[in-house]
Amino acid sequence: MGNVEFPSKEWSEIFCKKINENNNYKNAAKGWKWPLMFKVIKLPEDLQKKYPSGTIGIKADLFEGQCRGIEFYDDASKGNADFVLTAEYNDWMKILTGELNPVTAILQGKLKLEKGSMATVMRFPSAAVELVKSAQEASK
């Protein structure tokens, strides 16, 4: 990973910018109109010290292929969104490094839809893949 640590406020802001630069995401996410929160649980020890709550939330205001803003929560319970995707830190890292496909992660139960409609999420598999590409760009 690059200079900016995942998860962090700085990483989140770069992620939003990378989403807006991703034309494939713009096309794949047409019809998506809901904020989405990515929840990171089971942090490694060093991040646990930095974020004592043990859960981090990154809420992206996603609308029709755009990121209209991003919020970072050092305690995920302080944030809320129409859709909440939760995974352990190690599984998020596997998704970010390309070891784990986000759709596969959902099907394997490693990435859990804590809130929102699974039927809606499953209508946007290519948007999910493009979000991961934007996240990978943010991590460079």
Side-chain angles (χ1 to χ4, degrees):
M1 295 282 133
N3 307 337
V4 183
E5 178 182 62
F6 169 85
S8 66
K9 186 177 191 306
E10 296 75 24
W11 183 92
S12 303
E13 289 165 358
I14 294 167
F15 177 45
C16 187
K17 185 174 167 257
K18 294 296 181 185
I19 290 169
N20 289 333
E21 292 171 0
N22 184 335
N23 287 322
N24 292 333
Y25 175 73
K26 279 183 183 77
N27 296 327
K30 290 240 184 299
W32 184 272
K33 304 172 189 308
W34 306 276
L36 174 61
M37 185 151 88
F38 303 95
K39 201 161 140 185
V40 186
I41 60 172
K42 294 201 177 169
L43 301 174
E45 212 174 300
D46 59 327
L47 286 175
Q48 187 78 41
K49 287 181 183 136
K50 197 171 176 179
Y51 305 110
S53 74
T55 61
I56 291 168
I58 298 168
K59 178 182 173 181
D61 181 5
L62 302 175
F63 187 85
E64 294 287 355
Q66 288 278 299
C67 178
R68 300 190 300 188
I70 201 127
E71 295 170 33
F72 178 81
Y73 299 95
D74 54 14
D75 177 352
S77 68
K78 293 178 181 168
N80 198 3
D82 295 335
F83 287 80
V84 177
L85 284 168
T86 303
E88 294 180 11
Y89 173 85
N90 290 338
D91 289 324
W92 281 121
M93 292 309 293
K94 285 178 186 167
I95 290 168
L96 285 174
T97 58
E99 279 179 64
L100 184 59
N101 175 290
V103 178
T104 305
I106 287 175
L107 297 174
Q108 291 177 346
K110 292 180 177 175
L111 182 57
K112 293 178 183 68
L113 184 64
E114 206 173 287
K115 185 179 173 192
S117 160
M118 182 59 79
T120 300
V121 169
M122 287 309 199
R123 287 197 340 247
F124 296 92
S126 52
V129 169
E130 291 304 326
L131 276 177
V132 169
K133 287 180 184 171
S134 295
Q136 290 168 337
E137 284 293 312
S139 300
K140 285 184 178 174

